[in-house]
Amino acid sequence: MNVAVLIMTDGRDELLDRTLQSAQGHLGGQVTRWFIHDDTGDGDHREDLRRRYPQAEVISASHHRAGFGGSIHRAWRWISLFSEADYVFHLEDDFILNRRVNLRAMARVLAACPHLAQLALRRQAWNADEVAAGGIVEQHPDDYVDAGDHDGNRWLEHRRFFTTNPCLYRRQLCTADWPTGAESEGRFGLGLLRGGLPWGVPGDRVRFGFWGARDSGEWVEHIGHQRAGTGY
């Protein structure tokens, strides 16, 4: 099982450094390759990233900024064509992990549950509604279904949204056409619910997952309070 880490960044180098250090500390030994997608549109910045992070391959095929949706579209196309990974751990440049994550266990669950588009890690409550409810899941508790297997793994399944918060998905998902422009994350998730998954799961069977039992708490911390990218 080969797992690649894809880190999306757009110039917030201080946050990126914290994110990469956290990922290496909590995922180390399970990752085959590291990729950083740089959306600054600055060739000098990309070369600086290559010098600072020799363990990672820095990818970007453009000299202009593509925005949130355009960056994922470009990164996924590159990975679908040139990466041999079986799974991709998706990580934006402003998240740190709170604990070690068992990527192999997550991958085994995805392999056994083809209806799951992803297994995401829960972050802290962020917007006012989440804070008032006590968390993402707590905001709509009945929309999340408890699931588990004989190996003791637990997760929650739902049909509310696809998230680009830290998550694991099959590399084959990168063959799906991530939309560019505004609200691409929401439009992508709705597209999966309507059209299904690239490996033949119809839309009405598609589910998204949060790793861990309902009471497992937060796995990651969102540390970016100001966005540098556009087109979310």
Side-chain angles (χ1 to χ4, degrees):
M1 179 197 72
N2 295 328
V3 178
V5 172
L6 172 62
I7 303 177
M8 307 296 295
T9 190
D10 51 14
R12 297 179 295 179
D13 290 350
E14 180 180 349
L15 295 180
L16 173 63
D17 193 59
R18 293 179 62 190
T19 293
L20 191 55
Q21 288 186 33
S22 174
Q24 289 178 318
H26 291 91
L27 305 177
Q30 305 177 88
V31 177
T32 307
R33 295 182 72 180
W34 297 81
F35 299 107
I36 298 174
H37 184 279
D38 175 38
D39 190 40
T40 61
D42 184 337
D44 290 338
H45 184 259
R46 286 195 293 275
E47 290 305 315
D48 185 55
L49 291 179
R50 291 187 175 105
R51 287 191 295 268
R52 287 166 52 199
Y53 308 115
Q55 72 275 34
E57 185 167 351
V58 179
I59 56 177
S60 179
S62 175
H63 295 289
H64 65 274
R65 297 183 69 146
F68 178 80
S71 293
I72 296 177
H73 180 91
R74 190 165 58 197
W76 276 20
R77 178 171 174 77
W78 194 96
I79 284 178
S80 66
L81 290 174
F82 301 115
S83 173
E84 298 179 354
D86 302 305
Y87 299 91
V88 177
F89 186 76
H90 191 103
L91 188 59
E92 295 177 344
D93 66 358
D94 57 356
F95 280 90
I96 58 174
L97 282 64
N98 293 333
R99 59 184 111 164
R100 184 160 179 82
V101 177
N102 191 337
L103 294 178
R104 294 185 178 92
M106 294 175 72
R108 287 194 294 269
V109 169
L110 286 175
C113 302
H115 63 282
L116 285 176
Q118 67 175 161
L119 282 170
L121 302 178
R122 269 185 284 172
R123 56 160 170 74
Q124 77 271 34
W126 191 252
N127 60 48
D129 291 337
E130 291 173 357
V131 171
I136 302 171
V137 171
E138 290 78 7
Q139 188 179 0
H140 302 281
D142 295 337
D143 291 349
Y144 298 89
V145 177
D146 297 89
D149 61 19
H150 295 299
D151 294 325
N153 299 308
R154 298 291 181 267
W155 64 94
L156 301 175
E157 298 186 5
H158 65 96
R159 282 176 61 86
R160 291 194 58 84
F161 51 80
F162 182 92
T163 180
T164 56
N165 284 181
C167 65
L168 188 72
Y169 47 74
R170 299 166 184 81
R171 181 177 64 87
Q172 194 173 355
L173 188 66
C174 295
T175 65
D177 190 22
W178 188 279
T180 60
E183 300 180 352
S184 64
E185 187 177 43
R187 289 189 287 129
F188 180 75
L190 290 174
L192 296 182
L193 294 175
R194 288 193 298 262
L197 299 170
W199 46 93
V201 176
D204 61 350
R205 290 189 55 213
V206 172
R207 300 292 185 274
F208 310 112
F210 274 122
W211 183 245
R214 190 175 294 264
D215 61 356
S216 63
E218 300 159 5
W219 290 74
V220 298
E221 180 185 353
H222 188 202
I223 59 173
H225 294 276
Q226 292 184 341
R227 284 174 169 165
T230 60
Y232 291 82

